[in-house]
Amino acid sequence: MDHEEARSRLLEAAKRLFYERGIQTVAIDELRATSGVSLKRLYQYVPSNTELVEQYLQPHDETWLPDLSEYIHLDAPPPEGRLAAGFDRLH
């Protein structure tokens, strides 16, 4: 298994497990077993849990934050209205 395939498998497994149960409840051993990536390869790709979570969340940031930010800034007065607008948009 090459580096990109290992990365893809890890992120897909993390995506599924984190979504189903939450980030804090998923153990590294479970992630390793679900992804089929060896522990050595896992730590070569993601040396820390924090880095794995950052890589997992990055696509969400790239997708949701620009849209949410634009919606909040265009449609809501500061500051309480922006908070409410954010929840409206996410709903």
Side-chain angles (χ1 to χ4, degrees), residues 17 21-22 26-27 62 69 77 80 85:
L17 293 170
R21 296 201 330 265
V26 177
E62 292 169 359
S69 179
E80 295 84 8

Side-chain angles (χ1 to χ4, degrees), residues 49-75:
N49 291 350
T50 301
E51 193 169 321
L52 175 64
V53 172
E54 288 173 357
Q55 290 181 32
Y56 161 72
L57 292 174
Q58 184 177 2
H60 297 283
D61 285 352
E62 292 169 359
T63 303
W64 284 95
L65 288 181
D67 177 63
L68 184 60
S69 179
E70 181 179 333
Y71 183 83
I72 290 171
H73 289 292
L74 292 178
D75 295 338

Side-chain angles (χ1 to χ4, degrees), residues 24-57:
Q24 294 184 347
T25 64
V26 177
I28 288 294
D29 286 338
E30 186 176 12
L31 181 61
R32 183 203 53 76
T34 302
S35 67
V37 174
S38 72
L39 194 57
K40 180 180 178 181
R41 175 74 81 166
L42 186 148
Y43 281 114
Q44 286 174 344
Y45 177 65
V46 220
S48 72
N49 291 350
T50 301
E51 193 169 321
L52 175 64
V53 172
E54 288 173 357
Q55 290 181 32
Y56 161 72
L57 292 174

